[in-house]
Amino acid sequence: LAPAGSATGVGVGGGAGGSASAGAAGGGGAAAAPRGADMCLRLVVLCSCHSGIPASLFIDAGVPHVIAVERSETVLDVSARVFVQSLCHSMLVGNTIQSAFKHAQWLVKHNECLHTKGQHATAKKEAQKFVLLPEGANHATVLFPSKARGPATDCSAGRPPVQFPRTRLDLTIIRQVELWSVLRAIRHNRFVQVVGPPGVGKRTLVCLVAHYVWQRHLFPDGIHYVHVDDIRWIVALDWS
């Protein structure tokens, strides 16, 4: 997230259940980032279990505002989603990081989903797991000054239409190693072939890769899925 014409940077990483996450320019290179005025990244949000541990790396790198989950705590998916959504919305309408953080905590504490299940104590505890670091620092910073109200304009780059086979995107979690291997291969090779015995999930893996690169605009000319089940020779394909 960054306002137009500004060097402000906001990194957001999420995912409960112990999954690793980090939001920053340069990923794991945070410890080597410049400090002070040279640090363009002003806020990092780590919304995953035990994320207070990697949070210290961003603080040491000079990021002035870091939001994370206590080192010894896990966090529910629903709490992480509610927190991030409310935090981002509150900042985008011109609130300070401090007030946006408190507002997000309040919404987690009064989360309707948890209260309807009778987990009032759980909701309160979930809200207390989020911390704004460094402790004692001045977080009364406005990242997105309020703009004149008017019709919203979507400036996002449009994605070309695609027709992928129905794929369970939640399988990405258990296919991360294979997904990363194929992604690296297609960035450095013109042709990549995924092989294996029947039923191991080759088509699913290819569809996960296609969906991943489509979401991130890695191939501006588009992504095409072609069925070749009944084709014996590659020359039989009609490339027109």
Side-chain angles (χ1 to χ4, degrees):
L1 302 173
S6 169
T8 297
V10 180
V12 181
S19 60
S21 68
R35 303 179 65 88
D38 295 331
M39 172 56 69
C40 63
L41 194 62
R42 299 173 62 188
L43 171 65
V44 169
V45 181
L46 302 171
C47 248
S48 62
C49 305
H50 316 293
S51 55
I53 299 174
S56 60
L57 298 177
F58 291 100
I59 295 174
D60 292 342
V63 179
H65 313 286
V66 179
I67 296 175
V69 176
E70 289 279 6
R71 290 170 174 256
S72 60
E73 296 288 353
T74 60
V75 64
L76 297 175
D77 285 336
V78 62
S79 301
R81 287 194 298 267
V82 170
F83 182 87
V84 171
Q85 289 172 358
S86 58
L87 176 76
C88 292
H89 179 270
S90 186
M91 290 192 300
L92 286 171
V93 297
N95 290 310
T96 65
I97 296 175
Q98 179 75 51
S99 60
F101 174 79
K102 290 186 175 296
H103 178 64
Q105 273 190 316
W106 186 91
L107 287 179
V108 172
K109 182 179 178 180
H110 296 84
N111 184 1
E112 181 179 351
C113 180
L114 292 177
H115 281 276
T116 54
K117 297 180 181 179
Q119 300 178 353
H120 305 285
T122 300
K124 181 178 180 180
K125 184 178 179 181
E126 286 289 296
Q128 295 172 344
K129 294 177 181 179
F130 297 94
V131 292
L132 178 56
L133 304 171
E135 295 182 359
N138 180 16
H139 299 292
T141 301
V142 176
L143 294 184
F144 303 94
S146 297
K147 303 296 182 181
R149 294 185 179 275
T153 302
D154 187 358
C155 299
S156 304
R159 298 189 185 100
V162 293
Q163 291 183 343
F164 300 144
R166 293 179 61 87
T167 306
R168 289 177 52 193
L169 297 180
D170 59 310
L171 294 176
T172 304
I173 299 176
I174 61 176
R175 287 297 185 96
Q176 286 183 340
V177 175
E178 295 89 347
L179 178 66
W180 177 244
S181 298
V182 177
L183 287 171
R184 290 186 62 183
I186 63 177
R187 295 300 296 269
H188 300 287
N189 300 277
R190 187 172 181 180
F191 179 80
V192 176
Q193 186 176 15
V194 178
V195 299
V200 297
K202 301 184 294 297
R203 179 178 299 180
T204 298
L205 177 60
V206 169
C207 289
L208 291 175
V209 172
H211 193 274
Y212 183 96
V213 298
W214 173 72
Q215 281 190 318
R216 291 159 178 79
H217 306 276
L218 298 186
F219 295 96
D221 293 333
I223 303 169
H224 304 277
Y225 184 90
V226 182
H227 289 276
V228 294
D229 291 345
D230 300 325
I231 297 177
R232 293 178 58 87
W233 304 103
I234 195 68
V235 293
L237 285 174
D238 182 3
W239 297 104
S240 60

